[in-house]
Amino acid sequence: MGTALALIGVFVLAATAVRYAPSGSTLAVWWPAGGLGVAFLLATSRDAHGRRSWFFVGGILVCTAAANAYAGRPTLVATGLGVANAAEAAVVLGLLLRGGRNPALDSLEDLWRLIAVTVAGAAVFAALAALVVSAGLHGPVLTTAAAVAASHAAAVLVMAPFGIAARNERTRAPRWEDLVQWLVALTLTGWVFGGEQALPLTFLLIPVLIWGALQQSVRAVAAQLLVVAVIAVTLTSRGGGPFVYAVAVADLRPETVGALTQAFLVTLAVTTLTLAVTAAQRRRALADLHSEVKLTGVVLDTAASAIVVLDADAVVVRLNATAARLLGAPAEDLCGRLAVEVFPVDDRRELARRMGRIREGAVPLHDEHDWHVAGLGVRHIVWTNAYLTDPDGNRTHLVKTGVDVTDERAARTFVEAVLESATATAIVVTDLDGVITLFNRGAENLLGWSASELVGRGDWSLLHDSEEIRRRARDQGIEPDVEVLAQQARSAGSAAPEDWTYVRKDGSRRTVSLAVSGIRDEAGQLRGYLMVAEDVTGRREAEVALQTGLDRERQAVEELTRLDRAKSDFVSTISHELRTPLASVLGYTEMLEDGAAGPLSPRQLELVGRVERNGRRLLSLIEDLLTNSRIEAGRLVLHPSRCNLADVVASAWSSVETVTRDRRLDRELDVSPTPLWVDGDRAALERMVTNLLSNAVKFTPDGGRVSLVARPDETRTDTVLLVVSDTGIGIPSADHERVFTRFFRSDVANERAIQGSGLGLSIVRAIAEGHGGSVSVESVPDEGATFTVSIPRVGLWDKPPEPDIFNIS
């Protein structure tokens, strides 16, 4: 869209310039079409090397040819002039873009370049146009060339700067002064060229345009120059202005009007543009200087170092915020005073002597002072001095840059003291090449070397077992150098402590726990390695001895476990072997009691009864041993099924009656009339109840009481309780938990020589827990004991459980 509008403008301006040429002249006063074409190309120079620019050059050819033809010139002449206009635009554009540069008006060099390129383009057009006019219109070659060269040069020089500056950003907002200047310039231009004014009045415009050039931007000046030129040319073409009046009075040729107008426009352009570019350069230079001064001030004031500038007489001329803070006064109060007056040192006489030799260059480039700073105490300042000189080499100023190293040196002293006090820890620091830079007292004690022997040496490997270094390097796939120690520190910052072998100066070896850390600067760059080692030789030897002992103990435990397993297998085998003949003995005993071998006398029946009772006691012991062996081996298998716990209790109660019938005991049985359905192994449950009853009978003396209660739990309806109580010897509270341990017998039972294996209650717990229940005891010595077993209950209408097997281990 912009290209089309520009080409339309070229056509209109060309046709207008030809039509409104001065009366009697064959040439236009001005050729703005050429200036517009060049200005548009320069304004769009970012696409200057593309098709768009060359398309526009072709458009200039067509439009200017059409405009000349429209104005009445022959077709061949119009075409030739179109080619000349296009050639001019191409030459100006090509020369300005030569070397890849973009058109600009940032310096006088750019302006002179524009003027030279404008002259070259006008010369090309003049040569081509003179040939065309001579061939087509029989006009004079030199006169034509001179006239059109001036016309086109003036147009390009006035309009091209606006095309270049149009892309520049506005540097400041318009001011009232700018508006006044514009009004004066436009009013004066209209007045000068609007009537028959005397020729000298044309120069009134130059001071006004210079006023604008010194105050406004190059873009504004170029725009104003273009507007003034358009007004002047338009009014001149209409017969007004001093140039037309002067030619008429002097009776000169009409072409002289065009020449005077073009000379005037070139004068205005060169004068105003030169001043505008120079003023813009000055403003930029002042802005850069202001920014640099401001930046320098910010840098100085934000610097951590104290900076003081003294003149040759040692007078403070400038100082930054850090220096003012150390001196305890604002900078404006300190500037202009002698350094000896403001520097808070002890020996002011020595300071005055040194500062008095600035011109001689006798102040050392480095020195140190102690300053007494209010609120901070004595601060140690390290100074770096630099001289400033004038063009003749005379020293004019001394710049002092000071760094407060008080805290740094105190911290260094503290760190050195800490390192030296770590006499049991070896601390070694190396650079990236393995050169030792620190070797503390602990390292001296551990390795037998002194710091003076190793600091500064690169043979860090002297401290390590060489074979260990090579082995670790092979494992990591790297060279056997300091990287073996520092590979992890390079990537992660520090390595986890590892055991290494240190070699002492006398050749002996010590095992150390070594941690390697990377030392990094403020930018995070790795600068060296910190190696902290602790002698763990004795600890590792103790660990080896302990491990050896543990291995032996483990072997002993394994052997004892094997023996215990063999014992259990032996007991199980013997129990099986004893149970078969014992069952036969008990069977024959029952036959004898029943009279199978004939009637027995009362004495014989008593003896047979004793045999039966002792046999059943022995059988119970054998059953306990077998059950315990199965529990130990994890082979006690329960076959659960629905059963009524009341039936189990009745069966167990009956089996115990044979043992208690010769005892004087009160026996109480209380079983709930409601069925007590449980999911369990009937034989195992009966064994559990029998053991509890046998235990109660065994530890209850004659005259006592043994009771068994089987009922639902009142607090938990899904649980059945079996409670076996006695009034026997009781159990001490300390043994309440131990009574469920295999083979445990209390001291009271041993003292009273009460028989038993110590297995019954452990079997009770195993069976109860195997059924998902538990067993507990409550007892007071000499008052009896109460054992309570809880077993999960199943409802009367619950679905019978699927056959299952419980394996108790």
Side-chain angles (χ1 to χ4, degrees):
M1 185 65 180
T3 303
L5 291 176
L7 290 175
I8 292 173
V10 168
F11 174 81
V12 172
L13 291 177
T16 302
V18 174
R19 182 173 293 275
Y20 290 99
S23 178
S25 173
T26 60
L27 298 175
V29 174
W30 197 39
W31 192 251
L36 175 61
V38 172
F40 182 80
L41 286 173
L42 295 179
T44 58
S45 60
R46 291 178 182 176
D47 191 38
H49 299 287
R51 297 179 179 179
R52 178 181 174 185
S53 296
W54 299 115
F55 170 78
F56 190 79
V57 170
I60 291 176
L61 187 155
V62 174
C63 290
T64 52
N68 279 277
Y70 174 76
R73 288 177 175 168
T75 302
L76 290 179
V77 172
T79 303
L81 292 177
V83 171
N85 276 277
E88 177 190 26
V91 168
V92 172
L93 182 65
L95 291 178
L96 283 178
L97 297 181
R98 185 179 180 183
R101 296 180 58 180
N102 285 325
L105 284 177
D106 296 331
S107 64
L108 289 178
E109 179 183 355
D110 294 333
L111 178 60
W112 305 142
R113 190 161 176 258
L114 173 63
I115 294 174
V117 168
T118 299
V119 172
V124 170
F125 178 82
L128 294 176
L131 293 176
V132 170
V133 170
S134 175
L137 301 178
H138 306 290
V141 174
L142 294 180
T143 303
T144 301
V148 297
S151 172
H152 280 252
V156 171
L157 197 58
V158 168
M159 301 182 73
F162 183 75
I164 295 175
R167 296 180 304 169
N168 294 349
E169 295 182 0
R170 178 180 293 176
T171 56
R172 64 175 176 82
R175 297 179 300 192
W176 284 105
E177 180 183 355
D178 300 334
L179 179 59
V180 172
Q181 190 271 337
W182 270 81
L183 290 175
V184 172
L186 298 183
T187 302
L188 187 60
T189 303
W191 177 73
V192 169
F193 288 92
E196 296 180 353
Q197 307 294 346
L199 186 62
L201 293 179
T202 55
F203 297 99
L204 289 177
L205 283 173
I206 294 179
V208 176
L209 294 182
I210 290 176
W211 173 20
L214 295 177
Q215 299 296 326
Q216 301 176 26
S217 65
V218 174
R219 183 172 68 171
V221 171
Q224 189 175 93
L225 178 63
L226 177 59
V227 172
V228 169
V230 170
I231 294 173
V233 170
T234 300
L235 293 178
T236 299
S237 299
R238 294 171 65 89
F243 302 134
V244 175
Y245 179 71
V247 169
V249 171
D251 194 21
L252 299 177
R253 296 184 57 188
E255 288 80 0
T256 306
V257 174
L260 291 175
T261 303
Q262 294 147 14
F264 174 72
L265 294 180
V266 170
T267 301
L268 286 184
V270 173
T271 303
T272 55
L273 290 175
T274 301
L275 290 175
V277 171
T278 303
Q281 277 188 294
R282 179 178 176 275
R283 285 193 294 270
R284 286 196 299 271
L286 290 176
D288 293 342
L289 179 61
H290 177 73
S291 298
E292 184 176 349
V293 170
K294 186 176 180 180
L295 177 62
T296 301
V298 171
V299 171
L300 291 178
D301 288 337
T302 57
S305 302
I307 301 175
V308 182
V309 181
L310 307 177
D311 65 12
D313 296 323
V315 174
V316 177
V317 296
R318 186 168 183 180
L319 71 163
N320 69 342
T322 303
R325 186 170 60 253
L326 290 174
L327 292 172
E332 54 269 20
D333 294 344
L334 297 171
C335 290
R337 299 175 59 184
L338 289 172
V340 70
E341 296 177 2
V342 299
F343 283 15
V345 298
D346 290 329
D347 193 350
R348 295 183 180 275
R349 181 174 298 178
E350 174 62 20
L351 178 64
R353 186 187 66 81
R354 286 190 178 188
M355 294 297 100
R357 305 173 65 185
I358 293 178
R359 286 190 176 87
E360 303 171 9
V363 178
L365 298 180
H366 301 280
D367 59 358
E368 301 182 12
H369 294 152
D370 284 335
W371 278 18
H372 298 273
V373 180
L376 297 177
V378 178
R379 311 300 294 179
H380 193 78
I381 313 296
V382 176
W383 294 97
T384 299
N385 301 316
Y387 291 99
L388 301 180
T389 59
D390 60 17
D392 296 330
N394 300 317
R395 298 176 183 86
T396 59
H397 294 84
L398 177 68
V399 180
K400 297 178 66 64
T401 304
V403 179
D404 184 353
V405 297
T406 309
D407 296 335
E408 178 185 348
R409 291 192 176 179
R412 184 188 305 171
T413 302
F414 174 76
V415 171
E416 291 175 352
V418 170
L419 292 178
E420 290 303 313
S421 64
T423 57
T425 302
I427 301 176
V428 180
V429 177
T430 72
D431 61 14
L432 295 179
D433 297 323
V435 177
I436 297 174
T437 58
L438 186 144
F439 197 80
N440 80 326
R441 183 70 55 83
E444 292 179 340
N445 295 338
L446 176 62
L447 295 167
W449 295 91
S450 65
S452 59
E453 292 177 293
L454 294 182
V455 173
R457 297 179 59 177
D459 50 354
W460 61 272
S461 59
L462 189 67
L463 310 178
H464 293 266
D465 186 341
S466 57
E467 180 57 33
E468 183 178 45
I469 292 291
R470 287 192 291 271
R471 175 175 55 81
R472 289 179 179 261
R474 285 195 303 271
D475 293 342
Q476 298 178 16
I478 58 177
E479 294 296 324
D481 52 22
V482 71
E483 192 70 17
V484 175
L485 291 173
Q487 187 178 40
Q488 184 173 353
R490 281 187 179 275
S491 58
S494 63
E498 296 182 6
D499 282 0
W500 287 77
T501 302
Y502 265 2
V503 181
R504 289 174 49 84
K505 185 177 181 180
D506 58 11
S508 60
R509 284 165 166 73
R510 306 294 295 177
T511 300
V512 297
S513 177
L514 178 64
V516 183
S517 302
I519 301 175
R520 300 180 182 273
D521 58 19
E522 294 180 355
Q525 296 296 319
L526 191 64
R527 296 302 182 189
Y529 306 104
L530 170 65
M531 304 175 191
V532 180
E534 180 184 1
D535 188 355
V536 295
T537 305
R539 189 187 309 168
R540 296 296 181 261
E541 292 174 350
E543 290 175 356
V544 171
L546 178 61
Q547 186 62 43
T548 303
L550 290 175
D551 291 340
R552 291 176 180 173
E553 184 177 348
R554 187 181 301 108
Q555 294 174 0
V557 170
E558 291 174 353
E559 180 64 18
L560 289 175
T561 303
R562 187 185 64 78
L563 292 175
D564 184 66
R565 188 179 301 109
K567 180 264 298 180
S568 298
D569 294 341
F570 174 75
V571 169
S572 178
T573 301
I574 293 299
S575 299
H576 277 289
E577 294 295 329
L578 289 176
R579 186 169 62 173
T580 301
L582 184 58
S584 178
V585 169
L586 291 175
Y588 282 113
T589 302
E590 291 178 356
M591 293 173 63
L592 288 174
E593 289 180 334
D594 293 338
L600 298 179
S601 64
R603 178 61 177 165
Q604 289 174 331
L605 286 173
E606 180 184 352
L607 293 176
V608 171
R610 290 181 180 179
V611 171
E612 182 186 7
R613 288 192 299 274
N614 287 306
R616 292 192 179 281
R617 185 187 305 146
L618 181 58
L619 182 61
S620 177
L621 176 60
I622 290 171
E623 291 292 343
D624 285 347
L625 288 173
L626 284 172
T627 303
N628 181 69
S629 297
R630 294 190 189 103
I631 293 173
E632 286 183 339
R635 295 196 298 269
L636 178 60
V637 179
L638 301 177
H639 299 278
S641 63
R642 175 176 295 217
C643 61
N644 188 354
L645 193 59
D647 297 338
V648 174
V649 169
S651 178
W653 185 267
S654 299
S655 66
V656 175
E657 280 187 337
T658 59
V659 180
T660 61
R661 63 190 174 188
D662 294 334
R663 297 283 308 278
R664 291 184 294 106
L665 295 173
D666 292 335
R667 292 169 294 173
E668 298 178 1
L669 177 62
D670 182 8
V671 179
S672 172
T674 304
L676 304 175
W677 297 104
V678 296
D679 240 355
D681 188 320
R682 181 185 180 91
L685 291 173
E686 185 176 342
R687 185 78 191 158
M688 177 186 70
V689 178
T690 301
N691 280 3
L692 288 173
L693 290 172
S694 300
N695 219 49
V697 169
K698 186 191 307 180
F699 290 99
T700 302
D702 289 344
R705 177 177 55 82
V706 174
S707 67
L708 188 155
V709 177
R711 58 178 174 81
D713 190 344
E714 295 178 354
T715 59
R716 295 182 298 171
T717 57
D718 60 346
T719 302
V720 175
L721 295 181
L722 285 174
V723 182
V724 177
S725 303
D726 63 66
T727 58
I729 63 176
I731 305 170
S733 59
D735 295 337
H736 283 187
E737 187 62 29
R738 299 173 64 194
V739 295
F740 298 105
T741 306
R742 286 176 293 176
F743 302 109
F744 174 78
R745 286 177 55 80
S746 68
D747 294 338
V748 177
N750 290 329
E751 290 172 0
R752 300 188 183 188
I754 299 175
Q755 296 179 350
S757 62
L759 293 173
L761 291 178
S762 66
I763 293 173
V764 169
R765 169 174 278 186
I767 294 174
E769 292 178 350
H771 285 80
S774 63
V775 60
S776 62
V777 61
E778 296 179 0
S779 178
V780 177
D782 298 326
E783 294 184 10
T786 299
F787 288 87
T788 303
V789 177
S790 62
I791 297 177
R793 181 186 183 187
V794 295
L796 178 62
W797 306 108
D798 288 353
K799 181 182 177 182
E802 298 293 334
D804 197 2
I805 294 178
F806 296 157
N807 193 348
I808 301 177
S809 58

